[in-house]
Amino acid sequence: MTLRRNLIALACAATALGGIGLSMSASAADKMVLKAADVHPAGYPNVVAIEHMGEKLSKATNGRISLKMFPGSVLGGEKEMIEQTQVGAIDILRTSLGPVGPVVPEVNVFNMPFVFRDEAHMRAVIDGPIGQEMLDKISASPAKLVALGWMDGGSRSLYTKKPVRKPEDLKGMKIRMMGNPLFVDTMNAMGGNGISMGYGEVFTAIQTGVVDGAENNPPTLYTAHHYQAGAKYYTQTNHLIIPEIFVMSKVTWNKLSPEDQALVKKLAREAQFEQRALWDKSVADYTAKLKAEGVEFIKIDNKAFYDDTAPVRAKYGAQFADLMKRIEATKSN
Ligand code: BDP
């Protein structure tokens, strides 16, 4: 009798425990840890802004949704990470718009040389209706990416092993460009030979002479140490002012409730403006650091480069003629 009662008690306890086990795993399954990635290292403005967005997300959802950042290209190059985001292996990716062009051709209007007058003009465009339309176009495209917001990438200028002041100086020089045929055409029009290459390969390519230089903004030139590979002349061509974006995989987005989606969008807008403040500071900091490291900043009148790239704007811009007029008509704040 006693034995039977004990057995029943044991069975009840086991059921109860089993229940607890179940409910524990259910709540663990409800928790979502978003995998975020960036080619830039920890501490870079873009990385910091996304991490803060994750902290706010976690706070607002009582830890139900959190974010884990994988900086410094640990999950691959930008092209590969875009692919991983498309299939849902990465949840949130911060990327240049450059390598997004081959996946969502509509964004190439922002990837054209000298399409923006200056950075203030670019900001006015991305903060306004054109910027929102572009985010919507990316999200509506078949690329399986949801565009959450913009980030600043400043202006890209040339850095080379030998000084460059005019298009003729680039003759015979191989210059690394991001993976998008538009950029190879741009460099060829500027007088050099554009070579498409992943960001992670640039340091060694400069060092071994596979390329004679590359082009980027001061924070990237500094954090990627490309000047240490020998490219110490930084010519202020400012030929590309490419905004950057952060996107969520549509696979992940579709798992979120409408409320969570709205929360993510709200925090993304905040991240956009937080990054901008951090960005401005980092450009000033890294410019000073580059100069201290002996990088020579060469000031030039970039009109010759502007003129020489007119055929690229004509070739790629024809399909965006109306949009280009609206971009041109946008006044800087
Ligand atoms: C940096 C961008 C980064 C690109 C890199 C590049 O922030 O997204 O991957 O340039 O040149 O400025 O590939």
mmCIF file of all heavy atoms in Angstrom, residues 6-24:
data_model
loop_
_atom_site.group_PDB
_atom_site.id
_atom_site.type_symbol
_atom_site.label_atom_id
_atom_site.label_comp_id
_atom_site.label_asym_id
_atom_site.label_seq_id
_atom_site.Cartn_x
_atom_site.Cartn_y
_atom_site.Cartn_z
ATOM 1 N N ASN A 6 3.737 5.656 -2.556
ATOM 2 C CA ASN A 6 5.034 6.298 -2.860
ATOM 3 C C ASN A 6 5.291 6.396 -4.344
ATOM 4 O O ASN A 6 5.797 7.398 -4.848
ATOM 5 C CB ASN A 6 6.193 5.534 -2.207
ATOM 6 C CG ASN A 6 6.283 5.870 -0.727
ATOM 7 O OD1 ASN A 6 5.648 6.845 -0.285
ATOM 8 N ND2 ASN A 6 7.022 5.078 0.018
ATOM 9 N N LEU A 7 4.930 5.307 -5.018
ATOM 10 C CA LEU A 7 5.148 5.293 -6.468
ATOM 11 C C LEU A 7 4.317 6.374 -7.162
ATOM 12 O O LEU A 7 4.795 7.080 -8.045
ATOM 13 C CB LEU A 7 4.773 3.915 -7.043
ATOM 14 C CG LEU A 7 5.881 2.869 -6.956
ATOM 15 C CD1 LEU A 7 5.382 1.528 -7.492
ATOM 16 C CD2 LEU A 7 7.114 3.313 -7.732
ATOM 17 N N ILE A 8 3.054 6.486 -6.676
ATOM 18 C CA ILE A 8 2.174 7.519 -7.265
ATOM 19 C C ILE A 8 2.764 8.914 -7.019
ATOM 20 O O ILE A 8 2.861 9.742 -7.917
ATOM 21 C CB ILE A 8 0.741 7.411 -6.704
ATOM 22 C CG1 ILE A 8 0.097 6.129 -7.228
ATOM 23 C CG2 ILE A 8 -0.110 8.629 -7.091
ATOM 24 C CD1 ILE A 8 -1.225 5.781 -6.580
ATOM 25 N N ALA A 9 3.239 9.111 -5.763
ATOM 26 C CA ALA A 9 3.836 10.416 -5.418
ATOM 27 C C ALA A 9 5.028 10.718 -6.330
ATOM 28 O O ALA A 9 5.186 11.819 -6.850
ATOM 29 C CB ALA A 9 4.278 10.413 -3.957
ATOM 30 N N LEU A 10 5.828 9.684 -6.553
ATOM 31 C CA LEU A 10 7.007 9.838 -7.403
ATOM 32 C C LEU A 10 6.607 10.206 -8.840
ATOM 33 O O LEU A 10 7.179 11.106 -9.463
ATOM 34 C CB LEU A 10 7.771 8.503 -7.404
ATOM 35 C CG LEU A 10 9.280 8.602 -7.605
ATOM 36 C CD1 LEU A 10 9.907 9.316 -6.410
ATOM 37 C CD2 LEU A 10 9.892 7.203 -7.744
ATOM 38 N N ALA A 11 5.581 9.500 -9.312
ATOM 39 C CA ALA A 11 5.114 9.759 -10.671
ATOM 40 C C ALA A 11 4.615 11.190 -10.808
ATOM 41 O O ALA A 11 4.901 11.880 -11.788
ATOM 42 C CB ALA A 11 4.003 8.763 -11.032
ATOM 43 N N CYS A 12 3.865 11.644 -9.752
ATOM 44 C CA CYS A 12 3.340 13.020 -9.775
ATOM 45 C C CYS A 12 4.490 14.018 -9.814
ATOM 46 O O CYS A 12 4.491 14.969 -10.593
ATOM 47 C CB CYS A 12 2.476 13.300 -8.551
ATOM 48 S SG CYS A 12 0.911 12.451 -8.645
ATOM 49 N N ALA A 13 5.495 13.734 -8.958
ATOM 50 C CA ALA A 13 6.640 14.655 -8.898
ATOM 51 C C ALA A 13 7.346 14.703 -10.248
ATOM 52 O O ALA A 13 7.723 15.768 -10.734
ATOM 53 C CB ALA A 13 7.615 14.191 -7.814
ATOM 54 N N ALA A 14 7.483 13.524 -10.863
ATOM 55 C CA ALA A 14 8.168 13.476 -12.160
ATOM 56 C C ALA A 14 7.397 14.289 -13.197
ATOM 57 O O ALA A 14 7.988 15.034 -13.985
ATOM 58 C CB ALA A 14 8.298 12.025 -12.620
ATOM 59 N N THR A 15 6.058 14.134 -13.158
ATOM 60 C CA THR A 15 5.238 14.888 -14.115
ATOM 61 C C THR A 15 5.425 16.387 -13.893
ATOM 62 O O THR A 15 5.600 17.158 -14.840
ATOM 63 C CB THR A 15 3.745 14.537 -13.942
ATOM 64 O OG1 THR A 15 3.645 13.126 -13.838
ATOM 65 C CG2 THR A 15 2.918 15.041 -15.107
ATOM 66 N N ALA A 16 5.390 16.742 -12.588
ATOM 67 C CA ALA A 16 5.547 18.172 -12.280
ATOM 68 C C ALA A 16 6.894 18.682 -12.781
ATOM 69 O O ALA A 16 6.990 19.727 -13.414
ATOM 70 C CB ALA A 16 5.425 18.389 -10.769
ATOM 71 N N LEU A 17 7.944 17.879 -12.497
ATOM 72 C CA LEU A 17 9.283 18.286 -12.936
ATOM 73 C C LEU A 17 9.358 18.406 -14.448
ATOM 74 O O LEU A 17 9.921 19.345 -14.987
ATOM 75 C CB LEU A 17 10.316 17.246 -12.460
ATOM 76 C CG LEU A 17 10.905 17.495 -11.083
ATOM 77 C CD1 LEU A 17 11.842 16.344 -10.704
ATOM 78 C CD2 LEU A 17 11.685 18.815 -11.062
ATOM 79 N N GLY A 18 8.728 17.376 -15.068
ATOM 80 C CA GLY A 18 8.704 17.390 -16.536
ATOM 81 C C GLY A 18 8.056 18.664 -17.033
ATOM 82 O O GLY A 18 8.528 19.297 -17.964
ATOM 83 N N GLY A 19 6.984 19.030 -16.338
ATOM 84 C CA GLY A 19 6.268 20.263 -16.707
ATOM 85 C C GLY A 19 7.167 21.473 -16.603
ATOM 86 O O GLY A 19 7.236 22.283 -17.522
ATOM 87 N N ILE A 20 7.902 21.507 -15.493
ATOM 88 C CA ILE A 20 8.814 22.651 -15.295
ATOM 89 C C ILE A 20 9.846 22.684 -16.414
ATOM 90 O O ILE A 20 10.097 23.697 -17.031
ATOM 91 C CB ILE A 20 9.522 22.556 -13.907
ATOM 92 C CG1 ILE A 20 8.509 22.821 -12.804
ATOM 93 C CG2 ILE A 20 10.658 23.572 -13.811
ATOM 94 C CD1 ILE A 20 9.005 22.492 -11.415
ATOM 95 N N GLY A 21 10.362 21.461 -16.682
ATOM 96 C CA GLY A 21 11.360 21.376 -17.753
ATOM 97 C C GLY A 21 10.807 21.929 -19.049
ATOM 98 O O GLY A 21 11.453 22.722 -19.718
ATOM 99 N N LEU A 22 9.588 21.559 -19.334
ATOM 100 C CA LEU A 22 8.960 22.002 -20.583
ATOM 101 C C LEU A 22 8.809 23.513 -20.619
ATOM 102 O O LEU A 22 9.177 24.167 -21.580
ATOM 103 C CB LEU A 22 7.568 21.369 -20.700
ATOM 104 C CG LEU A 22 7.482 20.111 -21.557
ATOM 105 C CD1 LEU A 22 6.039 19.651 -21.637
ATOM 106 C CD2 LEU A 22 8.051 20.357 -22.951
ATOM 107 N N SER A 23 8.259 24.029 -19.468
ATOM 108 C CA SER A 23 8.009 25.465 -19.482
ATOM 109 C C SER A 23 9.329 26.236 -19.530
ATOM 110 O O SER A 23 9.416 27.292 -20.126
ATOM 111 C CB SER A 23 7.163 25.895 -18.287
ATOM 112 O OG SER A 23 7.937 25.832 -17.134
ATOM 113 N N MET A 24 10.384 25.627 -18.919
ATOM 114 C CA MET A 24 11.669 26.316 -18.990
ATOM 115 C C MET A 24 12.168 26.387 -20.431
ATOM 116 O O MET A 24 12.603 27.421 -20.901
ATOM 117 C CB MET A 24 12.707 25.600 -18.127
ATOM 118 C CG MET A 24 12.801 26.212 -16.736
ATOM 119 S SD MET A 24 13.738 25.189 -15.628
ATOM 120 C CE MET A 24 15.300 25.089 -16.453
#
